[in-house]
């Protein structure tokens, strides 16, 4: 027995040495989560982590906020369970359109919370008590299916936020995933999603750094929301409405599909009506906050870039002055060569006359 354990240990180490390691795939943007090998999507990152990484990335003096541009935004809704909604952004390298990234933005709860909170994940307890037994059963079934999906697929929990309400305490998991598919569907989930709306041709340039600030502001702002479904539907709708207001896609309200009529609604619980609706006043407030955050960040970037730019200007001026001195020296040499050549020609003429 004493010999078997060491033998098994070293044999296992030997096999691991022989097995090929999972290939690492570099992300074109170093501040975003990279795709994984074997055709898999990236690990999910919290809004906060991804937002901070991107914003700080552009504080480097050599980085340009305009290097990556958002070219399209798509709003999806799952067909089953709690009919989760999410948004996918197409990000393009500004000077190299062939380089594309797809970023999926989600707000979910966790399987633990769904299992513990059950119906409170959808509506307040008081409203739940007014439903019929059949309606209650329908909601319980939808929540249980969603909980099983999250638990079975081992969704990573990154940024747990608790409501300020001691009665509900619904936790939200806000994540960004770098996906291989333009529709945001990942290998980690069997979801089937429908496209509800597409927004593109932004009149105002929409940069990746701006998206980072938007997600950070919205994730922090919505801590006061109590309901999972309002949080999920609210996040997708609010992201869309904020982007539409700030960057003015053409056509103004996007291109919608038949599924758009289901936005903010839970089909299996149609008796609830629309769980989430447009809130222009809230969107206007958020837009002001985001614009202020972007303006402050631009000033920070300018403060970082300005010394570098000033130094570069001083170098450019010094090089220009040096080049001018060299050019003047070359002109003087050329003029002297011309004078010497003229003098030689005159001497040659005088010698010829003396002959």
């Amino acid at each position: 027995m004493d010999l078997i354990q060491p033998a098994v240990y070293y044999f296992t180490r030997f096999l691991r040495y022989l097995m090929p390691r999972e290939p690492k795939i570099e992300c074109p943007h170093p501040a975003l989560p990279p795709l994984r090998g074997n055709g898999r999507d990236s690990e999910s990152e919290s809004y906060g982590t991804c937002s901070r990484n991107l914003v700080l990335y552009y504080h480097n003096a050599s980085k340009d906020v305009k290097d990556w541009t958002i070219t399209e935004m798509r709003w999806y809704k799952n067909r089953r369970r709690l009919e989760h909604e999410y948004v996918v952004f197409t990000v393009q390298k500004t000077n190299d359109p062939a380089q594309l990234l797809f970023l999926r933005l989600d707000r979910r709860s966790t399987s633990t919370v769904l299992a513990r909170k059950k119906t409170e994940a959808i509506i307040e307890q008081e409203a739940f008590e007014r439903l019929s037994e059949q309606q209650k059963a329908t909601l319980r079934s939808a929540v249980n299916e969603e909980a099983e999906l999250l638990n079975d697929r081992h969704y990573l929990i990154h940024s747990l936020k608790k409501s300020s309400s001691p009665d509900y305490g619904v936790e939200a998991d806000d994540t960004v995933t770098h996906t291989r598919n333009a529709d945001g569907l990942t290998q980690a989930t069997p979801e089937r999603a429908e496209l509800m709306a597409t927004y593109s041709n932004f009149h105002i340039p929409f940069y990746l750094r701006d998206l980072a600030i938007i997600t950070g502001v919205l994730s922090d702002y919505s801590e006061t929301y109590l309901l999972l479904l309002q949080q999920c539907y609210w996040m997708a709708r609010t992201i869309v409405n904020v982007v539409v207001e700030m960057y003015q896609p053409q056509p103004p309200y996007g291109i919608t599909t038949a599924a758009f009529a289901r936005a903010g609604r839970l089909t299996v619980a149609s008796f609830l009506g629309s769980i989430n609706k447009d809130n222009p006043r809230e969107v206007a407030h958020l837009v002001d906050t985001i614009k202020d955050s972007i303006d402050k960040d631009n000033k920070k970037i300018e403060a970082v870039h300005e010394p570098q730019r000033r130094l570069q200007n001083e170098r450019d001026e010094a090089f220009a002055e040096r080049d001018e001195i060299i050019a003047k020296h070359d002109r003087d040499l050329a003029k002297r060569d011309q004078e010497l050549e003229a003098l030689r020609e005159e001497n040659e003429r005088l010698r010829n006359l003396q002959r």
Side-chain angles (χ1 to χ4, degrees):
M1 180 62 68
D2 293 339
L3 295 176
I4 293 177
Q5 290 183 345
V8 171
Y9 171 78
Y10 286 110
F11 181 68
T12 303
R13 292 288 301 271
F14 178 70
L15 289 179
R16 287 179 179 173
Y17 177 79
L18 293 179
M19 291 175 63
R21 296 185 178 182
E22 178 179 315
K24 293 182 179 180
I25 299 180
E26 294 184 1
C27 179
H29 197 298
L32 290 175
L35 296 171
R36 292 177 290 174
N38 302 321
R40 293 182 296 169
D41 303 298
S42 76
E43 296 281 0
S44 295
E45 281 189 356
S46 71
Y47 282 9
T49 299
C50 193
S51 176
R52 284 192 299 273
N53 289 345
L54 280 167
V55 170
L56 291 175
Y57 172 82
Y58 289 110
H59 287 185
N60 187 311
S62 64
K63 303 301 185 293
D64 186 354
V65 169
K66 300 178 181 179
D67 64 348
W68 287 87
T69 304
I70 308 295
T71 59
E72 192 172 63
M73 173 177 67
R74 294 179 301 283
W75 186 0
Y76 288 91
K77 186 180 186 71
N78 287 349
R79 298 180 182 180
R80 297 178 55 200
R81 302 179 177 87
L82 294 184
E83 300 176 57
H84 174 70
E85 293 181 12
Y86 62 92
V87 182
V88 178
F89 289 90
T90 299
V91 191
Q92 184 180 79
K93 183 77 171 176
T94 304
N95 60 3
D96 184 5
Q99 291 197 54
L100 293 177
L101 302 173
F102 304 115
L103 299 180
R104 170 174 168 162
L105 274 58
D106 285 277
R107 163 163 285 197
R108 285 188 182 273
S109 184
T110 72
S111 59
T112 302
V113 170
L114 286 174
R116 185 176 74 246
K117 295 300 179 181
K118 298 294 184 184
T119 54
E120 294 96 315
I122 298 178
I123 59 176
E124 296 95 332
Q125 188 63 30
E126 291 182 5
F128 179 77
E129 294 301 332
R130 292 197 296 268
L131 300 178
S132 68
E133 290 303 316
Q134 183 177 355
Q135 290 171 336
K136 291 178 182 179
T138 299
L139 290 181
R140 290 193 186 100
S141 176
V143 172
N144 287 338
E145 285 187 10
E146 187 77 5
E148 291 174 5
L149 168 69
L150 296 177
N151 185 58
D152 292 345
R153 296 297 165 177
H154 307 289
Y155 275 85
L156 299 178
I157 306 307
H158 299 275
S159 175
L160 294 182
K161 296 180 179 295
K162 288 191 176 181
S163 159
S164 57
S165 166
D167 297 327
Y168 301 114
V170 176
E171 298 167 336
D173 184 23
D174 298 336
T175 59
V176 177
T177 308
H178 177 189
T179 68
R180 294 179 181 274
N181 298 323
D183 59 8
L185 294 180
T186 68
Q187 288 186 330
T189 171
E191 297 168 331
R192 295 178 60 195
E194 291 182 300
L195 175 64
M196 295 195 296
T198 303
Y199 306 84
S200 60
N201 300 316
F202 298 103
H203 180 67
I204 306 298
F206 186 11
Y207 302 116
L208 178 60
R209 188 286 309 263
D210 296 3
L211 177 61
I213 291 177
I214 289 171
T215 57
V217 169
L218 294 186
S219 187
D220 290 340
Y221 170 82
S222 60
E223 286 184 282
T224 57
Y225 279 72
L226 304 179
L227 311 178
L228 170 66
L229 260 294
Q230 281 187 335
Q231 294 220 22
C232 164
Y233 292 169
W234 175 87
M235 181 62 79
R237 183 183 293 272
T238 304
I239 287 174
V240 168
N241 287 341
V242 164
V243 170
V244 167
E245 177 67 23
M246 291 182 63
Y247 300 99
Q248 302 173 19
Q250 300 299 323
Y253 300 103
I255 300 173
T256 59
T257 69
F260 187 74
R262 295 173 49 227
R265 294 177 178 272
L266 184 59
T267 304
V268 297
S270 57
F271 47 82
L272 294 177
S274 180
I275 296 174
N276 182 260
K277 299 179 180 179
D278 289 338
N279 188 337
R281 180 179 297 180
E282 181 180 54
V283 169
H285 168 71
L286 287 168
V287 166
D288 288 341
T289 302
I290 292 166
K291 286 182 176 179
D292 183 60
S293 297
I294 290 175
D295 183 60
K296 289 179 179 178
D297 192 65
N298 285 339
K299 291 178 180 178
K300 288 181 181 179
I301 293 174
E302 184 64 23
V304 173
H305 285 208
E306 184 55 33
Q308 184 76 11
R309 189 179 297 112
R310 190 184 308 117
L311 179 60
Q312 186 61 47
N313 289 339
E314 291 174 356
R315 289 176 179 172
D316 292 343
E317 291 174 1
F319 284 133
E321 184 178 354
R322 182 203 63 183
D323 292 342
E324 179 57 30
I325 292 173
I326 293 174
K328 184 178 183 300
H329 179 68
D330 291 341
R331 289 195 298 270
D332 291 342
L333 288 177
K335 183 179 179 181
R336 189 187 66 177
D337 290 342
Q338 291 175 355
E339 292 172 348
L340 289 175
E341 181 62 26
L343 183 59
R344 282 196 296 271
E345 290 178 355
E346 181 62 20
N347 289 337
E348 183 65 25
R349 187 182 67 80
L350 292 174
R351 281 196 297 270
N352 290 336
L353 288 175
Q354 291 175 356
R355 292 174 187 168

